[in-house]
Amino acid sequence: MFISILTSPWPWYIAGLLIGLMVPLLLLLGNRHFGISSNLRHICAACLPGKIPFFSYNWKKESWNLFFAGGIVIGGLIASALLADKEPSSSIHPQLAAEMAGYGVTYAHAPLPAELFNWPALFTLKGFLLMIAGGFLVGFGTRYAGGCTSGHAIMGLSTLQWPSLVATCCFMAGGFVMANLVLPLILHL
Amino acid sequence: MSLPSNTDFEVDSPDISEVTNTTAKKAPWWRQLQYLAAGIIFGIILIKSEVVSWFRIQEMFRLQSFHMYGVIGSAVFTGIISVMIIKKTGAKTFYGEPITFQSRAFNKGQIFGGLLFGFGWALTGACPGPLFAQIGAGFTVTLATLVSAILGTWVYGLLRDKLPH
């Protein structure tokens, strides 16, 4: 019974409740503020050369966050290896399915469409834009904004910080523009 | 132009002044394992709720599904209530340390950076948390996306003084 709950997709209210509880959990564990994108900064501070002031800080004091990120990798492994949906039944909106069919992309119950996200595709213009340019914008944008979906949208809004609301609205606005106006052009490549 | 001392609110040590984080200094090493455990739980949630799905992100930005709005909305609701309780009761950490909050100042980076982040989110279908979860779930190509995101962060650090804040 318990396992059968674990091995089917979770509804939004369960997921939202559990993600929201990460905020008090990290606070109670050690006054830590939920936010994942700073890990990208810590990795720069730890691994990349150059005397850039922005990366000259004691990243070891923030290493709890690297443990947290490492946990997410392990959690992803556990969820996909042990708790995978027994009979995948999730579907996507028919309109999205039709649009994607036009690009030769089908929904196969996986987080990423294998047609678009694979190693050889990295060396095509389409794959480069989706993964490399997309990743670059995620890393550049999140640090410029001072946080990501977890740091601003969850933690910032939980503490009622209006600058985080501004950032969250801009995340959404950027996503709407990209998904509806630019992404179709890229997927046609 | 001088920048505000701290535009990055996820990092405890501000950019310029060196503030000692007492919790981190005195804490024994095994407390790091708690964050590892919390990360494992978070990773499982991200996969099981399909928050890491490129398709769910596309549905969100096309207003075709309530799922992501429901997840983020109920997470924020839970977070607000939790923080209110912690503030009201003056709760401390499990180890008796005080719990502190910092207020965030507005700067233009939240607009420009926010928009750029949104572009990247719609392209990759992943924000930083899901990047780590996808790699764990076996999508090794997401490593390339992650490396590129790290590079993006580095270039931001390089250009920071020249960007409008």
Side-chain angles (χ1 to χ4, degrees):
Chain A
M1 165 68 186
F2 182 62
I3 290 294
S4 77
I5 292 171
L6 285 178
T7 54
S8 46
W10 298 356
W12 60 266
Y13 46 90
I14 301 289
L17 176 77
L18 293 174
I19 293 173
L21 286 176
M22 283 289 143
V23 171
L25 177 68
L26 292 173
L27 287 170
L28 291 170
L29 281 178
N31 193 23
R32 297 306 186 182
H33 291 195
F34 184 44
I36 294 152
S37 65
S38 350
N39 281 306
L40 306 175
R41 184 178 173 192
H42 304 330
I43 294 169
C44 287
C47 302
L48 291 178
K51 280 191 180 159
I52 298 170
F54 190 63
F55 300 118
S56 304
Y57 63 94
N58 186 3
W59 60 270
K60 285 179 187 152
K61 273 197 299 193
E62 316 283 344
S63 58
W64 75 272
N65 214 337
L66 294 166
F67 280 87
F68 189 67
I72 297 174
V73 175
I74 300 171
L77 177 70
I78 293 174
S80 61
L82 304 176
L83 304 173
D85 302 344
K86 281 275 159 56
E87 288 151 23
S89 57
S90 60
S91 58
I92 57 171
H93 194 277
Q95 247 174 300
L96 183 66
E99 185 193 336
M100 288 300 149
Y103 311 123
V105 172
T106 48
Y107 180 62
H109 308 285
L112 288 172
E115 299 94 332
L116 299 174
F117 293 84
N118 58 67
W119 285 101
L122 276 179
F123 304 99
T124 65
L125 181 58
K126 195 198 286 185
F128 179 85
L129 290 172
L130 285 174
M131 292 176 272
I132 304 300
F136 187 91
L137 285 168
V138 166
F140 186 94
T142 189
R143 207 68 282 119
Y144 195 177
C148 64
T149 356
S150 54
H152 269 313
I154 311 279
M155 188 65 204
L157 292 186
S158 291
T159 51
L160 307 175
Q161 300 295 314
W162 70 267
S164 289
L165 184 61
V166 173
T168 305
C169 291
C170 290
F171 295 163
M172 296 306 295
F176 271 92
V177 169
M178 179 55 73
N180 293 288
L181 304 179
V182 187
L183 187 66
L185 305 175
I186 295 174
L187 293 179
H188 267 301
L189 286 173
Chain B
M1 197 186 97
S2 72
L3 287 172
S5 64
N6 188 10
T7 55
D8 192 342
F9 304 97
E10 290 182 13
V11 173
D12 284 343
S13 1
D15 302 336
I16 292 160
S17 65
E18 181 74 2
V19 172
T20 331
N21 186 325
T22 45
T23 4
K25 276 225 157 154
K26 288 180 209 151
W29 65 270
W30 54 262
R31 277 181 66 178
Q32 303 282 30
L33 296 182
Q34 301 177 329
Y35 302 116
L36 188 78
I40 292 174
I41 297 168
F42 188 56
I44 294 174
I45 300 168
L46 288 178
I47 296 281
K48 292 309 295 181
S49 60
E50 301 188 327
V51 169
V52 301
S53 168
W54 185 83
F55 293 98
R56 296 280 167 255
I57 304 300
Q58 299 307 327
E59 283 179 338
M60 166 175 69
F61 288 135
R62 287 170 177 72
L63 296 176
Q64 291 166 337
S65 164
F66 174 74
H67 185 77
M68 286 298 300
Y69 295 98
V71 170
I72 297 173
S74 53
V76 171
F77 179 78
T78 310
I80 290 176
I81 302 288
S82 309
V83 169
M84 264 169 58
I85 294 173
I86 288 177
K87 281 186 174 169
K88 270 263 158 63
T89 59
K92 300 203 160 164
T93 70
F94 294 138
Y95 307 93
E97 299 128 348
I99 292 177
T100 53
F101 298 94
Q102 42 183 194
S103 56
R104 303 178 179 200
F106 172 76
N107 72 75
K108 290 187 217 102
Q110 284 137 14
I111 295 174
F112 301 134
L115 289 171
L116 294 173
F117 176 84
F119 295 157
W121 192 11
L123 284 171
T124 61
C127 38
L131 283 180
F132 291 105
Q134 285 180 357
I135 292 168
F139 294 88
T140 56
V141 74
T142 303
L143 273 171
T145 313
L146 177 66
V147 169
S148 190
I150 293 168
L151 188 71
T153 299
W154 187 79
V155 171
Y156 167 73
L158 190 70
L159 302 177
R160 185 167 183 261
D161 292 339
K162 299 186 182 75
L163 296 166
H165 276 89

